Amino acid sequence: MRALRFFAPGRVAVTEVPDPEPGPGEVVLRVHAVGLCNSDVRVFLGEKRAQPGVIPGHEFTGEVVAAGPGARTPLGAVVAVCPIVACGWCGFCRDGYRNRCSRRRTLGYDLDGGCAEFVRIPRELEAGGHLLPVDPSLPAERRAMVEPLACVLASLEALGVAAGEGLAVVGGGPMGLLHVVAARAMGAGPILVVEPDAERREAALELGADVACAPQEAFERGMGLTSGEGFPAVAVAVGLAEAAPQALRLARKMGRVNLFAGFPPGTTLSLDANQLHYDELRLVGTQNAPLRLYARAAAMLPRLPALDRVVTHRFPLDRADEAYAARLERRGLKGAVVMV
């Protein structure tokens, strides 16, 4: 089969590899679509680790076409995948946070992922409920967004976002825009997006933001939206050090700020400690999501056609490496490799 492989920072290529065969309790998916995440780009840049030779792709959807003895997922099932292989017995796993398992392995980084014609799903994922049924009539690119949407739901949960409550998002890239889509679906508002790129600001407004502005306008526009109080919830969706202090300025007293984005290694932040103390701000971080939020994300897909607007570039598998170039050059928003 054909697959995209990561060999070293700056080097990916589509090659021929053996077709995967399911072992006991395992299934094989014919991949329909896989999204390119900023984490994939960080691996490409050498900012994040992955096994040399691994097939990337942790945001994907497909159809079960083969099953080993003992596998329970029926042939023909169309699913999205929670790609985290966890130990199942550590404290985090017992508490329902497999995404925090200290022994975790992830498809696309440690084990072969979905940027291929077929992908083998390990027994631990099949048995653990990590194959999420999705509506096969939905566009494949939307079905592949269960993983990033689950991550955004974890962010909004940590921020305590609820109907009628305001949200500011610093960074209007694909994940920032998913915050807008999900928060609007929950009834949150007003929503402010802070983004220097005019095309992304326009997309934010189309997807439900009340205001999308450049960073130098953010404080004035944000205070105007909130009667001078600031926002109860602020998500930092871009890995730039200067985004964090701006997020704190947008937060109201007793507000929450989530460092959702990953940052380059060695990044340090300069924050006003007295602001954190006297304004009683809560500064948190989230990374990936527990399985229950993957299930919620899969159930939400039919009600979120706006997600389709976030995918602006589609590539066949033979040109999967071009998705990296498009992302690095900031062409459009999110790229996806589509096989159906």
Side-chain angles (χ1 to χ4, degrees):
M1 70 172 183
R2 294 167 301 155
L4 181 73
R5 297 179 68 192
F6 165 79
F7 294 101
R11 186 174 167 227
V12 295
V14 177
T15 67
E16 289 287 333
V17 299
D19 288 359
E21 296 288 340
E26 297 179 339
V27 299
V28 170
L29 303 186
R30 182 190 302 276
V31 180
H32 290 172
V34 56
L36 182 73
C37 174
N38 193 56
S39 294
D40 298 313
V41 176
R42 292 181 63 209
V43 169
F44 182 82
L45 294 174
E47 295 179 0
K48 190 171 181 177
R49 179 189 167 279
Q51 288 287 349
V54 77
I55 298 172
H58 58 280
E59 306 175 359
F60 61 93
T61 180
E63 177 185 354
V64 177
V65 294
R72 298 174 298 179
T73 309
L75 294 177
V78 176
V79 298
V81 180
C82 172
I84 297 168
V85 180
C87 74
W89 55 267
C90 71
F92 292 111
C93 288
R94 291 197 305 270
D95 289 342
Y97 293 96
R98 299 178 193 175
N99 56 306
R100 296 272 39 100
C101 175
S102 58
R103 299 170 181 84
R104 68 179 250 185
R105 295 171 295 156
T106 305
L107 304 189
Y109 300 104
D110 309 296
L111 304 168
D112 285 339
C115 204
E117 293 181 88
F118 301 95
V119 59
R120 180 180 63 87
I121 303 300
R123 175 181 56 82
E124 298 93 331
L125 297 190
E126 202 279 339
H130 286 230
L131 299 182
L132 293 309
V134 288
D135 184 345
S137 69
L138 297 176
E141 304 94 310
R142 195 191 312 176
R143 289 187 270 119
M145 295 183 80
V146 165
E147 193 273 351
L149 181 58
C151 296
V152 166
L153 293 179
S155 173
L156 296 176
E157 182 175 89
L159 288 169
V161 171
E165 296 210 350
L167 170 70
V169 181
V170 181
M175 297 306 288
L177 295 177
L178 259 64
H179 275 77
V180 175
V181 172
R184 186 57 78 190
M186 296 165 62
I191 298 175
L192 169 74
V193 173
V194 182
E195 168 57 47
D197 183 82
E199 180 183 358
R200 293 183 172 192
R201 292 199 299 269
E202 181 180 348
L205 293 172
E206 291 178 18
L207 293 172
D210 295 283
V211 171
C213 66
Q216 61 270 24
E217 305 172 290
F219 183 76
E220 181 180 356
R221 300 297 299 275
M223 293 306 108
L225 273 179
T226 59
S227 302
E229 285 191 2
F231 292 87
V234 186
V236 178
V238 59
L240 298 175
E242 59 266 30
Q246 180 164 65
L248 292 183
R249 290 192 71 212
L250 290 169
R252 76 177 185 189
K253 293 178 180 179
M254 303 186 74
R256 295 181 178 91
V257 176
N258 180 29
L259 300 183
F260 174 83
F263 292 78
T267 299
T268 59
L269 303 179
S270 178
L271 303 176
D272 185 341
N274 276 329
Q275 183 187 9
L276 284 168
H277 172 71
Y278 287 108
D279 287 353
E280 298 187 53
L281 299 179
R282 275 70 168 170
L283 180 63
V284 300
T286 59
Q287 195 274 329
N288 212 283
L291 183 60
R292 60 182 173 80
L293 294 182
Y294 278 81
R296 186 182 302 174
M300 290 175 67
L301 289 184
R303 305 194 303 274
L304 297 179
L307 292 174
D308 301 342
R309 170 68 174 86
V310 179
V311 179
T312 55
H313 287 69
R314 294 161 177 82
F315 302 88
L317 181 58
D318 287 339
R319 294 170 46 210
D321 55 334
E322 296 179 27
Y324 287 83
R327 190 66 179 263
L328 288 167
E329 295 166 7
R330 291 176 61 90
R331 283 188 268 133
L333 297 171
K334 188 175 183 67
V337 177
V338 182
M339 290 78 145
V340 294

